[in-house]
């Protein structure tokens, strides 16, 4: 009798609760914020309590994510049920048919909830099918060290323009301040060659001066826009930090993580980086945060991007959630929809420090003074075009800007002709990747004129050529002196070796 009652009660409980027969739902993510696996597992505990469906989280390093995801989607081996994708990756995998269209769930997703610049990344440009749902936003403002800015009397208004920003950097550099551990404080630093963030670092300067990496021609076809005057002006403004010695060429050997660490150590007054550091300064190191680090003590100020001729335009990236085509779990959409609900977005993004994609949730975030400026920057920020070819284009941009930094590292004045060759070569490559045949191209003479104006120079002469011409104009052949100098060095070297022997 007692046993029968217990059985009846159990049966009744099961009938009133969600089904528990579903298989475990798996999700692949990247390292979002501090302790990424723990943070998402905490979030998914609520999902399991609600649905009785267990979950499994796998974290991929960003450096290996593209290759692992590409292989998995192509072969189907180890396919997760839900997948985090960088927002610019969505069109590539969607065009290959490797992630599922989500149009059947649009009424539950409600596209009107999302920030327009973020929702744009959910599909392929000019395609009505939806292949992903925006999860969080990666906006990259200028971050300032509050202590350093106050020490040198620099206000947020001082860096609203490019000139003001460079003046502020120069002021900090000239202060020659040294920390207790012997580290020198610099005004600004930027990651260099081969860093996967390179295009993201150039993009806001290019956009703020009205340029773009690619554009649509008059017939609506995408093509390279590298050699356009506005694009070259934005590029010139960015590399001027190195050319004008505001940023040491040593920084060009560092990647984004290393530059960010310098900022966290209190060694830099400014950095252009992800906004997650703001939230991390509120979290103790025992939980993966920075509250007890030097930047936690110094304080972080969120600043708008310095205005160019086209205004202040920040880079906006982020990540979306998608369902692999080869996922067979019918409950996969349930997990994706749960993670992109407003409540889930609010809870999760507060843990990782990236901005939520929901307009309603962002409105509440704007009440926080530190995030108010970030929310405002979303109105003018830009993201890359949603093109299937963008993955290849972005890799070409990484190679192009790495080549630029390589050239600027040489201990001789840079060559405008070399820069032109780099830009022209990769512009041609990008056109090939987009399947575009240009009808005309920017000549070297035209480039020189554009570049001279962008670098605020009076004449479009190559610096190295100009020095040689000046020497020849004075009746001196520099080749003779080079030969004579090498001859003297050789004699001294031989003489020293004989003395030692």
């Amino acid at each position: 009798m007692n046993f029968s009652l217990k059985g009846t009660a159990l049966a009744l409980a099961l009938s009133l609760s969600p089904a528990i027969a579903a298989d475990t739902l798996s999700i692949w993510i990247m390292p979002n914020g501090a302790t990424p696996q723990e943070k998402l597992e905490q979030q998914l505990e609520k999902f399991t309590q609600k649905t009785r469906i267990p979950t499994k989280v796998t974290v991929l390093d960003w450096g290996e994510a593209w290759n692992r995801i590409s292989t998995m989607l192509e072969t189907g081996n180890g396919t997760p049920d839900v997948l985090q994708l960088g927002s610019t990756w969505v069109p590539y995998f969607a065009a290959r048919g490797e992630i599922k269209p989500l149009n059947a769930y649009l009424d539950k997703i409600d596209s009107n909830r999302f920030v327009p610049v973020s929702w744009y990344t959910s599909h392929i440009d000019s395609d009505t099918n939806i292949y992903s749902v925006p999860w969080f936003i990666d906006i990259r403002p200028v971050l300032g060290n509050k202590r350093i800015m106050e020490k040198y009397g620099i206000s947020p208004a001082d860096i609203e323009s490019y000139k003001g920003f460079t003046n502020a950097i120069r002021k900090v550099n000239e202060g020659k301040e040294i920390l207790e551990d012997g580290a020198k404080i610099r005004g600004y630093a930027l990651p260099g060659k081969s860093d996967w963030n390179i295009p993201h670092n150039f993009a806001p300067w290019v956009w703020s001066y009205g340029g773009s990496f690619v554009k649509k021609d008059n017939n609506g076809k995408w093509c390279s826009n590298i050699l356009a005057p506005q694009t070259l002006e934005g590029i010139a403004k960015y590399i001027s930090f190195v050319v004008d010695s505001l940023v040491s060429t040593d920084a060009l050997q560092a990647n984004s993580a290393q530059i960010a660490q310098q900022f966290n150590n209190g060694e830099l007054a400014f950095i252009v980086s992800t906004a997650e550091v703001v939230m991390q300064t509120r979290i103790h190191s025992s939980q993966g945060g920075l509250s007890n680090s030097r930047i936690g003590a110094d304080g972080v100020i969120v600043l708008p991007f310095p205005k160019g001729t086209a205004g202040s335009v920040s880079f906006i990236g982020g990540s979306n959630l998608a369902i692999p085509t080869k996922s067979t779990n019918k409950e996969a959409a349930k997990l994706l929809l749960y993670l992109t609900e407003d409540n889930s977005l609010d809870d999760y993004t507060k843990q990782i420090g990236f901005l939520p994609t929901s307009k309603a949730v962002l409105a509440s975030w704007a009440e926080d003074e530190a995030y108010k400026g970030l929310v405002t920057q979303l109105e003018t920020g830009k993201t890359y075009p949603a093109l299937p070819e963008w993955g290849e284009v972005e890799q070409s941009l990484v190679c192009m800007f790495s080549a630029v930094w390589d050239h600027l590292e040489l201990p001789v004045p840079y060559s405008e002709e070399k820069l032109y060759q780099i830009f022209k070569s990769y512009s041609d490559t990008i056109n090939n990747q987009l399947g575009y045949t240009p009808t005309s191209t920017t000549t070297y003479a035209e480039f020189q004129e554009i570049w001279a104006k962008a670098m605020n120079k009076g004449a479009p002469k190559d610096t190295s050529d100009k020095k040689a011409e000046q020497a020849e104009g004075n009746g001196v052949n520099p080749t003779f002196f080079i030969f004579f100098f090498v001859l003297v060095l050789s004699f001294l070297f031989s003489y020293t070796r004989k003395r030692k022997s």
Side-chain angles (χ1 to χ4, degrees), residues 295-423:
I295 192 61
D298 288 355
V300 176
I301 298 179
V302 176
L303 303 160
F305 212 85
K307 291 180 181 177
T309 54
S312 171
V313 186
S314 298
F315 170 84
I316 296 178
S319 285
N320 297 10
L321 293 178
I323 299 175
T325 301
K326 293 181 180 179
S327 168
T328 58
N329 196 318
K330 296 180 180 179
E331 304 291 350
K334 189 175 291 185
L335 176 57
L336 183 149
L337 293 171
Y338 172 80
L339 288 172
T340 53
E341 292 174 354
D342 279 7
N343 288 337
S344 296
L345 289 174
D346 192 25
D347 290 345
Y348 185 63
T349 51
K350 280 180 179 174
Q351 294 184 68
I352 64 174
F354 290 101
L355 292 182
T357 52
S358 162
K359 289 184 283 190
V361 178
L362 278 169
S364 66
W365 277 54
E367 297 174 6
D368 185 323
E369 195 61 34
Y371 283 93
K372 184 177 181 180
L374 288 171
V375 175
T376 301
Q377 289 183 50
L378 290 177
E379 298 173 5
T380 56
K382 289 185 66 174
T383 189
Y384 296 135
L387 304 176
E389 302 88 355
W390 186 256
E392 294 180 351
V393 171
E394 188 172 316
Q395 187 55 46
S396 293
L397 293 172
V398 169
C399 295
M400 181 179 79
F401 290 127
S402 291
V404 170
W405 288 142
D406 265 337
H407 180 57
L408 292 181
E409 275 190 307
L410 296 175
V412 295
Y414 75 88
S415 162
E416 288 179 2
E417 185 172 5
K418 178 62 176 178
L419 288 182
Y420 171 74
Q421 291 171 353
I422 292 172
F423 295 142

Side-chain angles (χ1 to χ4, degrees), residues 413-418 444 448 457 459-467:
Y414 75 88
S415 162
E416 288 179 2
E417 185 172 5
K418 178 62 176 178
Y444 176 49
Q448 283 184 298
K457 297 195 306 181
K461 290 287 186 179
D462 189 319
T463 307
S464 55
D465 292 342
K466 189 183 298 182
K467 287 184 177 180

